[in-house]
Amino acid sequence: MSIAARAVAAHQLLQQRTESLPLSRYTSADIARAAARLAALLGIDLTYVRPDTNWNWINLPVLPLTLYASDPDDLGAQYTFSYRDPLYDDEAFFLMGPCPVCGASVPLAEVRTLADVGAFLTKGPEPLSQTQILPGSYPDEFDRYPTHTSKCPYREGDC
Ligand SMILES: [Zn+2]
């Protein structure tokens, strides 16, 4: 398919997605664009990226948007990403996974390119100790994320 044909198809799909989300038009457009950027980054069709439609910017602090990407070539494989705020288009995505200490769903890798996902899948999360010194392979958002259990030594503010 030509670049022009794919570009027009992407635009139409984005509009359909925006109209199908049960949210205000502006919020839906922001979310649909973030989902489309993730789909392009992963090299999959936008239909394989499902945003969490409970996201909103009304409750402060604004919580990250959760996006679920399913793999069209590996049925059953699903990756969960978070995106800080769909209002902005230059933020990194974060690949979510279980905290190696407490098991809560937290950001394990900062993702700006497909190779970032590959690096994480190749190396996996580095083991963590109870000493609270976070290895450099973890994103800054790892210990800022509010989902760690109250006993987790990596929960920010509990040190
Ligand atoms: Zn934890």
Side-chain angles (χ1 to χ4, degrees), residues 98-104 106 128 142 147-149 151-155:
C99 169
V101 177
C102 75
V106 292
L128 294 178
F142 175 80
T147 51
H148 291 280
T149 64
K151 291 196 173 76
C152 183
Y154 292 94
R155 184 186 172 98

Side-chain angles (χ1 to χ4, degrees), residues 52-105:
D52 175 5
T53 53
N54 292 320
W55 182 87
N56 71 67
W57 48 266
I58 295 165
N59 300 327
L60 293 173
V62 174
L63 293 172
L65 169 69
T66 302
L67 296 154
Y68 306 98
S70 50
D71 193 330
D73 294 325
D74 184 4
L75 290 181
Q78 182 171 278
Y79 302 89
T80 304
F81 292 86
S82 78
Y83 191 75
R84 193 176 295 146
D85 188 340
L87 190 61
Y88 303 102
D89 63 5
D90 56 352
E91 307 256 347
F93 292 93
F94 290 96
L95 181 60
M96 303 294 284
C99 169
V101 177
C102 75
S105 180

